[in-house]
């Protein structure tokens, strides 16, 4: 799954550079195509998750792997209008490596050990974002765009084939007498699950907004050359937080983690220069990044019945992409009409606004065990 996520971290920057340099279009045009792919992924994740629940892993991964490979091989030969037109369906056919990895972990790892497993998974995501974009930029700036995009398609196809070949379990073993009937939507898409999804969206709003405000602050102060170092330290801080979250027997609840994540970024703009001070004050909020995301996944896996876990994980993917899609324009608007310092405040406060709807709906205590009916347990 680490390998499967690598091309997903490259495709945004590669598509942007290709549209701008290869097709001679502006960043707005590139952003339109990128937004189409992101929208497609958000729409496709729950639909593909439902297909995983119904048909199993192999047929869906095969279809998605072929479709994604064909798109990236064809992309350098398409005019801009055609590229923009197929962006949404191409995004919908992307292998949902993130939600699929979480679904596999839920099937393989006992409930009491999932905090550690999901923390490790989140750490893996951070590592892909540290490696993938840098590889993609290096490739497209030294090799031809046609070769680079085709190679990306081959990487998508190759990792999809590996997933198909290994065929990891996506659901606990069915024992005699266990229910395999799909529960009604309203029985599991409860206010508590919706609250968790809103918190996930709020967390990603904060994270993408913080990154954008950081870039703006470094650029405004003439320190754009240390951007890579600052972002690397942010990622390392998140990884460190994920290690601690996964190692402790009892961590902070998801709502409190989200609250701290957002509140700690609000005053960062007061110390946005020199660059090393900005880097230091960003560490506390980034320490909570991986724990918040891991806690969200743990909650979804516990609330959603195994029969619909793929769809639930897909809804979580869609929620995070919604947060990403909202964060960039909102925080960008705040920066354009004020200063980068207000961008940090907008990131934290905007994330709180989204997550507050979820925090207010968390009335009932968290369930201590898997919901019923569960496939791994059956009554005598």
């Amino acid at each position: 799954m680490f390998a499967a996520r690598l091309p997903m971290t490259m495709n945004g920057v590669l598509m942007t550079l290709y549209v701008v340099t290869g097709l001679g279009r502006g960043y707005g045009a590139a952003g339109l195509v990128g937004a189409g792919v992101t929208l497609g992924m958000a729409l496709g994740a729950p639909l593909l998750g439902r297909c995983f629940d119904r048909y199993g892993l192999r047929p869906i991964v095969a279809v998605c792997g072929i479709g994604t490979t064909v798109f990236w091989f064809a992309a350098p030969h398409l005019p801009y209008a055609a590229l923009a037109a197929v962006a949404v369906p191409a995004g919908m056919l992307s292998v949902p490596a993130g939600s699929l990895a979480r679904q596999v972990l839920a099937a393989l790892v006992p409930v009491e050990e999932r905090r550690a497993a999901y923390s490790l998974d989140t750490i893996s995501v951070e590592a892909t974002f540290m490696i993938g974009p840098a590889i993609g930029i290096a490739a497209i700036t030294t090799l031809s765009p046609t070769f680079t995009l085709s190679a990306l398609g081959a990487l998508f196809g190759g990792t999809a084939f590996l997933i198909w070949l290994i065929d990891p379990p996506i659901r606990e073993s069915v024992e005699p007498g266990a229910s395999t009937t799909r529960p009604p939507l309203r029985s599991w898409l409860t206010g508590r699950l919706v609250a968790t999804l809103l918190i996930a969206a709020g967390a990603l709003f904060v994270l993408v907004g913080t990154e954008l405000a950081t870039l703006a602050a470094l650029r405004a102060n003439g320190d754009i050359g240390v951007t890579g170092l600052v972002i690397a330290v942010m990622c390392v801080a998140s990884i460190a937080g994920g290690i601690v979250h996964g190692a402790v027997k009892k961590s902070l609840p998801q709502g409190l983690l989200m609250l701290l994540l957002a509140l700690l970024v609000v005053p960062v703009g007061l110390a946005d220069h020199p660059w090393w001070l900005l880097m230091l004050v960003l560490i506390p909020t980034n320490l909570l990044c991986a724990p918040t995301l891991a806690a969200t996944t743990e909650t979804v896996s516990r609330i959603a019945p195994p029969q619909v876990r793929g769809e639930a994980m897909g809804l979580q993917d869609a929620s995070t992409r919604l947060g990403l899609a909202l964060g960039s324009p909102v925080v960008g608007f705040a920066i354009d009409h004020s200063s980068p310092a207000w961008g940090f405040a907008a990131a934290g406060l905007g994330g709180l606004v989204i997550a507050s709807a979820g925090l207010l709906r968390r009335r009932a205590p968290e369930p201590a065990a898997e919901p019923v009916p569960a496939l791994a347990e059956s009554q005598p």
Side-chain angles (χ1 to χ4, degrees):
M1 290 304 174
F2 174 83
R5 283 173 167 141
L6 275 176
M8 298 181 69
T9 64
M10 300 179 196
N11 62 6
V13 66
L14 287 182
M15 182 58 73
T16 298
L17 292 175
Y18 170 68
V19 172
V20 172
T21 60
L23 297 181
R25 297 277 181 155
Y27 283 97
L32 181 62
V33 176
V37 174
T38 301
L39 176 62
M41 289 180 175
L43 294 174
L47 297 176
L48 292 175
R50 185 164 187 163
C51 291
F52 281 129
D53 293 332
R54 183 171 182 178
Y55 302 109
L57 181 143
R58 277 188 160 175
I60 310 306
V61 168
V63 171
C64 290
I66 293 170
T68 306
T69 304
V70 169
F71 168 75
W72 286 101
F73 269 92
H77 307 287
L78 295 175
Y80 175 78
L83 195 61
V86 300
V88 172
M92 293 182 70
L93 282 176
S94 296
V95 176
S99 59
L100 186 57
R102 295 189 291 269
Q103 195 174 353
V104 170
L105 289 176
L108 293 176
V109 180
V111 176
E112 63 274 9
E113 296 178 6
R114 286 183 187 166
R115 176 181 295 115
Y118 287 134
S119 296
L120 182 60
D121 182 62
T122 307
I123 290 169
S124 174
V125 173
E126 292 287 354
T128 60
F129 275 98
M130 292 176 69
I131 298 171
I135 294 176
I137 292 173
I140 200 168
T141 53
T142 57
L143 305 171
S144 71
T146 299
F147 177 84
T148 303
L149 296 188
S150 300
L152 183 65
L155 188 55
F156 269 116
T159 53
F161 174 73
L162 288 177
I163 296 172
W164 180 91
L165 186 66
I166 296 171
D167 191 21
I170 57 176
R171 186 184 295 176
E172 294 91 330
S173 300
V174 180
E175 296 186 5
S179 174
T180 59
T181 304
R182 176 185 173 84
L185 180 66
R186 64 177 61 187
S187 70
W188 60 270
L189 190 58
T190 59
R192 183 167 179 76
L193 182 55
V194 172
T196 302
L197 298 177
L198 287 171
I199 292 174
L204 268 295
F205 183 102
V206 173
L207 296 179
V208 71
T210 300
E211 183 175 326
L212 184 60
T214 300
L215 293 174
L218 292 173
R219 183 174 180 271
N221 295 321
D223 295 318
I224 198 68
V226 297
T227 300
L229 174 61
V230 174
I231 291 179
V233 170
M234 293 166 65
C235 292
V236 170
S238 178
I239 289 173
I243 293 173
V244 173
H245 177 78
V248 297
K249 291 183 178 180
K250 186 175 181 180
S251 183
L252 296 175
Q254 176 201 13
L256 182 56
L257 287 169
M258 171 63 211
L259 185 65
L260 293 173
L261 174 74
L263 290 179
L264 285 173
V265 79
V266 171
V268 166
L270 298 175
D272 63 351
H273 61 279
W275 67 267
W276 56 266
L277 179 59
L278 173 63
M279 182 176 67
L280 292 177
V281 296
L282 282 169
I283 290 177
T285 187
N286 280 279
L287 284 171
L288 296 164
C289 171
T292 305
L293 299 180
T296 300
T297 303
E298 186 184 0
T299 304
V300 172
S301 73
R302 185 167 54 244
I303 294 176
Q307 300 94 321
V308 296
R309 190 174 287 139
E311 187 173 357
M313 293 294 184
L315 286 171
Q316 182 190 352
D317 254 11
S319 299
T320 57
R321 296 188 188 283
L322 175 63
L324 287 172
L326 290 174
S328 292
V330 171
V331 175
F333 180 86
I335 294 171
D336 289 340
H337 291 79
S338 54
S339 67
W342 281 103
F344 293 106
L349 296 175
L352 280 178
V353 168
I354 297 174
S356 61
L359 294 171
L360 292 174
R361 297 191 65 173
R362 298 191 64 152
R363 308 290 188 188
E366 289 194 48
E370 287 285 340
V372 290
L375 297 180
E377 299 177 357
S378 61
Q379 296 297 327

